[in-house]
Amino acid sequence: PIYRFVHYQQDINEETGEVEKEYIIFPRYHQLDVVTKIIDDVSINGSGKNYLIEHSAGSGKSNSIAWLAHRLSTLHKNDQKIFNTIIVVTDRKVLDSQLQSTIYQFDHTPGVVVKIDKGKTSKDLLKAINDGKQIIITTIQKFPNIYLDIVQNNRNFAVIVDEAHQSQTGETAKALKQGLANIEETLKYYAEL
């Protein structure tokens, strides 16, 4: 339903903290289409699949990510949450402020969205993950220091990677995958090969 996508947004001056502009946004067709298709597929198939979303410059990637993160965080199957935590990852050492602000504005309930941005450390990320926060926004560079300390407890994570072509390789991405993977399932998979 379209009402899940209608959003009141504010542009806030980062220096002064004052609201510069207020407006209502609606999804463009491609945003509505991609989020709806992923949500429908996850509703049927559950967790464990990979998806690729291609966006051109200026096409509203931040809003697509925000809508997807919030919809995934509330998705249930058989009265059980499909994902315990949604982690939005960027490979930029300084979090994309537009992406961060967009996701944060989609839910004003305190504690739903946690930003692990400048001034916060890998330990802050670890605490947010282990505390089961709903939506976490972070940089990929924080994972190598904590991946061994993430408490799994049979939780499912949805990981939305911004700029996936740059973030899917190397030791840092490997640490993210190892920290959030279901180790028993991963070992079972390798044993069957």
Side-chain angles (χ1 to χ4, degrees):
I2 193 74
Y3 70 86
R4 292 179 185 251
F5 291 86
V6 177
H7 174 65
Y8 165 76
Q9 190 157 336
Q10 298 177 325
D11 288 344
I12 300 173
N13 184 309
E14 289 184 28
E15 293 176 15
T16 64
E18 294 179 16
V19 176
E20 293 181 342
K21 188 176 176 184
E22 300 173 300
Y23 47 96
I24 303 283
I25 61 170
F26 296 86
R28 298 176 191 159
Y29 174 78
H30 67 279
Q31 294 168 314
L32 180 66
D33 186 51
V34 73
V35 172
T36 302
K37 283 180 178 173
I38 290 174
I39 294 301
D40 289 348
D41 191 73
V42 172
S43 296
I44 293 167
N45 297 306
S47 64
K49 290 182 73 177
N50 295 324
Y51 305 90
L52 177 64
I53 302 170
E54 205 171 340
H55 268 290
S56 58
S59 65
K61 177 181 68 171
S62 294
N63 285 336
S64 295
I65 290 171
W67 276 309
L68 183 59
H70 284 282
R71 292 294 311 276
L72 288 172
S73 73
T74 61
L75 202 56
H76 286 73
K77 185 173 184 174
N78 301 327
D79 292 329
Q80 297 239 335
K81 283 186 90 169
I82 294 176
F83 298 106
N84 304 96
T85 299
I86 313 304
I87 301 175
V88 179
V89 179
T90 181
D91 69 343
R92 296 179 200 104
K93 292 194 180 190
V94 177
L95 267 181
D96 180 327
S97 62
Q98 178 191 359
L99 175 62
Q100 183 183 33
S101 174
T102 301
I103 294 171
Y104 196 73
Q105 283 193 42
F106 271 59
D107 195 320
H108 298 286
T109 308
V112 170
V113 179
V114 177
K115 300 181 282 187
I116 309 297
D117 54 4
K118 58 185 171 184
K120 294 192 178 173
T121 67
S122 295
K123 289 181 182 178
D124 296 312
L125 173 59
L126 179 63
K127 180 171 176 20
I129 292 171
N130 287 343
D131 287 351
K133 297 298 183 183
Q134 277 188 311
I135 300 174
I136 301 168
I137 311 164
T138 189
T139 58
I140 196 166
Q141 288 82 5
K142 290 190 170 53
F143 279 93
N145 301 325
I146 64 163
Y147 75 98
L148 294 174
D149 298 319
I150 295 173
V151 178
Q152 261 296 320
N153 289 342
N154 294 318
R155 295 184 297 161
N156 285 328
F157 300 94
V159 180
I160 301 173
V161 181
D162 182 21
E163 304 290 343
H165 62 282
Q166 297 174 13
S167 305
Q168 292 298 303
T169 59
E171 292 301 312
T172 309
K174 185 177 176 183
L176 179 144
K177 292 172 188 172
Q178 286 177 327
L180 300 178
N182 180 330
I183 300 303
E184 291 175 16
E185 286 296 315
T186 303
L187 293 175
K188 180 178 155 190
Y189 171 76
Y190 283 113
E192 290 174 356
L193 291 178

